[in-house]
Amino acid sequence: MTWTITAGTWTITVEPYDSPAAAALWRAYYTEVSDRWYLLHEGRCTDPGELEREIAADSGADLAPPSGCLLVGRHDGTPAGTAGVRLLDADTAELTRVFVLPERRGRGGAPLLVAAAEVRARLLGARRIVLDTRGDLVEARALYTRLGYTETAPHNTDPYAEHWFAKELGPAAAVS
């Protein structure tokens, strides 16, 4: 069964975590957040060998059904962003890999991807969604706050996580 949301020039679909579009967007996402961290803390971009190892180490398999999914957003038909969701327990899903290519930002894709991920989390049975992010990713923190997420206590021990957010989703029956 195909699952698609279309809003204006954006189309969001569930896609295999290892599809060519998903892999290219994962590479772009990881390169950006890694380079931002290294530039902030060490004044350099990510070492190419380390980048390749880290991209390969996190395949995204935890975003596969039945307990997760990866959403790919296409702007005017071109892969432009992602959002992943995976169940942490029967009631809680985690939002991850929210990313829009720099040249497609400011066109409404990120809120649509997050909203679609919330729908998918509800369909997985989650009543609550959580996420983590870093302090230097100020745009992400502003987005989550604008979309109704509230900062919470840590829900994981990820060494790069500095801010944790949560949002109550309610029961799956609320999805139409």
Side-chain angles (χ1 to χ4, degrees):
M1 179 173 100
T2 303
W3 188 89
T4 304
I5 292 177
T6 301
T9 57
W10 284 95
T11 302
I12 299 171
T13 58
V14 174
E15 195 155 316
Y17 68 89
D18 57 354
S19 73
L25 289 163
W26 170 232
R27 174 174 291 283
Y29 168 86
Y30 194 86
T31 300
E32 180 176 330
V33 297
S34 182
D35 281 351
R36 280 179 71 161
W37 191 89
Y38 278 111
L39 285 168
L40 179 65
H41 295 281
E42 297 183 13
R44 65 175 180 88
C45 289
T46 310
D47 171 82
E50 178 185 3
L51 183 67
E52 293 306 317
R53 285 189 303 277
E54 293 302 319
I55 288 171
D58 189 354
S59 70
D62 54 344
L63 301 176
S67 60
C69 76
L70 182 73
L71 300 162
V72 171
R74 285 178 169 75
H75 184 258
D76 288 331
T78 301
T82 62
V85 64
R86 60 181 164 232
L87 285 177
L88 298 179
D89 61 43
D91 293 321
T92 307
E94 182 176 37
L95 179 63
T96 186
R97 293 193 186 194
V98 176
F99 174 73
V100 175
L101 290 170
E103 63 271 19
R104 302 296 178 147
R105 292 179 186 158
R107 299 176 184 174
L112 286 171
L113 283 160
V114 172
E118 291 171 1
V119 169
R120 297 302 302 189
R122 283 186 190 98
L123 292 172
L124 290 169
R127 298 175 61 114
R128 179 174 180 260
I129 192 165
V130 298
L131 63 95
D132 67 70
T133 191
R134 295 190 329 229
D136 64 307
L137 300 177
V138 293
E139 308 91 341
R141 292 192 347 257
L143 170 71
Y144 300 132
T145 299
R146 191 170 67 250
L147 296 178
Y149 287 76
T150 56
E151 199 151 354
T152 64
H155 65 268
N156 64 25
T157 58
D158 184 317
Y160 295 104
E162 298 170 319
H163 296 270
W164 295 263
F165 290 83
K167 183 177 183 180
E168 297 301 318
L169 296 175
V175 178
S176 57

